[in-house]
Structures are given as structure tokens and as C-alpha cells.
């Protein structure tokens, strides 16, 4: 694509609306699939805080960055991958989905971590069930199942399944298959410890990337 990764590094909450407007006037070339990764929370919104004060917003951002890096180093930039944030900033939920729409994304993946007062563990994927776009819902479920398959079989996470939810970031993403991945529980001691290790962040990022890749290459 003509719009480079460096272009997006200056995007801040203050200028994101300008970027969205500008993208409407950009002609984007190439046949690569466009993937938008959305690291949840950011800035003053830490998300869940778990064991050893690990913060959801930090885990999500680290894994998003790893997905972009792995696409470049392992897949030779097979996909055009963008992030809704590249640093610890808070982007509104509406701007996250609007950015993806402006980029004409083929897939939208929002990354989060779960929290519980119990000893819950494992990975969930959420999709938004819409009455007017049954095909889009099926595509979202297929991507979610593909990511779960990679993460649970190869990394050992408990599979908690694909579920429906009315999350705003999914509700507004009606233009492409969209999922929200709860990558595990920061309140679970084992999973919080897992998130704290860089090599495990890379493993999670790879499982997400391979799950998306398997879906896009399946021709479904």
C-alpha cells in the first residue's frame, strides 16, 4: 500500500479524525489483504489489572506490535497490517472502527485480556451477531475458531469458545469480519505469568497471525 507504517506512528487521539478524513481521499493500490489489529484500552484506560500488577492495555499493545513484526519477518509482509494505536494512547471506540473502515479492512481483530474474581482461565473470542449480515457473522465466527484452534492446540490455552456480545467496537465494525479476542485472564496467576514473558507474547502473536492467515488462505 502507498500508506506506510511510519505514517501511522504519528497518529494520536487528537489527529485521528483528520487521518480518517484524509484516508477517504487516498487511492490504495495492491491486492494484499488489509488486517487491522486493535490493542484494547490505552492511556488512562488500563483495562483489567491482574496478578503482579500486569495491565491489560500493555499486554494487548505488545502482542499487536509482535503481530506486525512477525508479518514482516516471517511472512515477508504478506498482509497490510495496521494497528489502531502504536503507543500508550487512548483511542475512542468509534475511531477504532472508523479507522478500519477507512482502510477498507478485510479483517478487524480487537485484542483484550479477561479478568475474573474466580480462578477462571482460557481464551474466548467474541463476535457481534447482526440481523442484516448473516454472512459477515459466519465469517467472523470462522476467524475466531481459527485463532482458537491455533492458540489452544499449540499453546495449551483452555478453549472457552466463540460467543456473541454487543461490544461497541464490534457493533460498529459492520464492513468486514470482526472479532474481539480475550487472550486469557490477567487475574489468573499462571496466565498473568505467561503474559509477562516476551517469548510468550511472540507465541501468542504468532498464533493470532496464523489463525487469521489460515482463514484468509482457506478461501471461505
Amino acid at each position: 500500500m502507498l500508506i506506510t507504517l511510519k505514517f501511522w506512528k504519528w497518529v494520536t487521539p487528537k489527529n485521528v479524525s483528520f487521518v480518517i478524513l484524509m484516508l477517504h481521499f487516498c487511492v490504495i493500490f495492491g491486492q494484499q489483504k488489509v488486517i487491522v489489529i486493535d490493542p484494547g484500552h490505552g492511556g488512562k484506560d488500563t483495562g483489567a489489572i491482574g496478578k503482579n500488577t500486569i495491565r491489560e492495555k500493555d499486554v494487548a499493545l505488545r502482542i499487536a506490535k509482535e503481530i506486525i513484526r512477525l508479518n514482516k519477518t516471517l511472512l515477508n509482509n504478506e498482509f497490510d497490517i495496521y494497528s489502531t494505536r502504536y503507543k500508550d494512547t487512548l483511542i475512542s471506540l468509534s475511531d477504532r472502527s472508523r479507522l478500519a473502515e477507512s482502510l477498507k479492512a478485510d479483517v478487524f481483530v480487537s485484542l483484550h485480556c479477561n479478568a475474573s474474581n474466580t480462578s477462571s482461565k482460557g481464551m474466548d473470542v467474541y463476535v457481534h451477531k447482526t440481523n442484516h449480515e448473516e454472512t459477515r457473522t459466519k465469517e467472523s465466527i470462522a476467524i475466531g475458531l481459527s485463532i482458537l484452534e491455533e492458540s489452544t492446540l499449540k499453546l495449551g490455552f483452555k478453549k472457552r469458545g466463540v460467543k456473541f456480545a454487543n461490544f461497541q467496537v464490534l457493533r460498529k465494525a459492520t464492513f468486514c469480519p470482526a472479532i474481539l479476542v480475550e487472550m486469557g485472564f490477567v487475574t489468573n496467576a499462571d496466565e498473568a505469568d505467561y503474559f509477562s514473558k516476551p517469548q510468550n507474547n511472540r507465541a501468542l502473536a504468532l498464533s493470532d497471525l496464523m489463525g487469521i492467515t489460515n482463514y484468509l488462505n482457506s478461501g471461505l
Side-chain angles (χ1 to χ4, degrees):
M1 300 176 76
L2 292 183
I3 302 172
T4 66
L5 184 60
K6 290 182 179 179
F7 168 87
W8 286 99
K9 289 185 177 179
W10 66 269
V11 175
T12 67
K14 292 183 179 180
N15 63 25
V16 69
S17 295
F18 168 75
V19 172
I20 292 169
L21 179 63
M22 189 176 70
L23 283 168
H24 284 296
F25 297 96
C26 292
V27 179
I28 300 175
F29 298 96
Q31 300 301 313
Q32 288 174 299
K33 296 290 187 181
V34 177
I35 299 170
V36 173
I37 304 297
D38 171 44
H41 308 283
K44 65 182 180 181
D45 179 9
T46 63
I49 299 177
K51 302 291 184 180
N52 300 320
T53 67
I54 191 167
R55 301 182 299 185
E56 179 182 0
K57 68 171 184 176
D58 298 330
V59 176
L61 184 58
R62 287 198 297 265
I63 293 174
K65 288 181 176 179
E66 281 295 325
I67 290 174
I68 293 171
R69 187 186 67 82
L70 290 169
N71 177 59
K72 179 180 180 180
T73 59
L74 293 184
L75 302 185
N76 195 28
N77 284 322
E78 179 176 347
F79 305 110
D80 280 323
I81 302 185
Y82 299 90
S83 181
T84 56
R85 64 183 180 96
Y86 289 91
K87 53 188 178 180
D88 188 17
T89 52
L90 179 61
I91 307 296
S92 72
L93 295 177
S94 58
D95 278 344
R96 293 169 192 256
S97 54
R98 287 170 62 206
L99 266 172
E101 184 173 15
S102 296
L103 283 165
K104 301 186 185 304
D106 294 288
V107 177
F108 178 83
V109 179
S110 190
L111 300 178
H112 291 260
C113 297
N114 223 328
S116 172
N117 292 325
T118 67
S119 57
S120 299
K121 62 181 180 179
M123 183 177 291
D124 312 77
V125 173
Y126 288 90
V127 304
H128 187 264
K129 186 175 182 179
T130 58
N131 294 325
H132 63 283
E133 194 60 78
E134 183 178 353
T135 300
R136 192 78 75 217
T137 301
K138 290 180 178 179
E139 291 172 341
S140 300
I141 292 172
I143 295 171
L145 288 173
S146 184
I147 288 177
L148 281 177
E149 192 78 2
E150 287 290 321
S151 302
T152 57
L153 289 181
K154 296 180 180 177
L155 301 183
F157 276 85
K158 177 183 177 182
K159 184 189 294 186
R160 293 170 59 91
V162 177
K163 305 172 183 178
F164 294 107
N166 192 32
F167 296 135
Q168 181 180 338
V169 74
L170 296 180
R171 187 172 66 248
K172 296 294 184 180
T174 58
F175 45 86
C176 69
I179 62 173
L180 186 148
V181 184
E182 294 281 7
M183 298 178 289
F185 285 77
V186 293
T187 50
N188 180 282
D190 291 336
E191 293 184 349
D193 182 64
Y194 186 93
F195 292 140
S196 68
K197 295 179 172 59
Q199 66 268 28
N200 294 337
N201 290 325
R202 289 192 290 271
L204 263 173
L206 182 59
S207 68
D208 289 339
L209 182 58
M210 288 299 97
I212 297 168
T213 301
N214 292 342
Y215 168 78
L216 290 176
N217 290 339
S218 70
L220 294 177

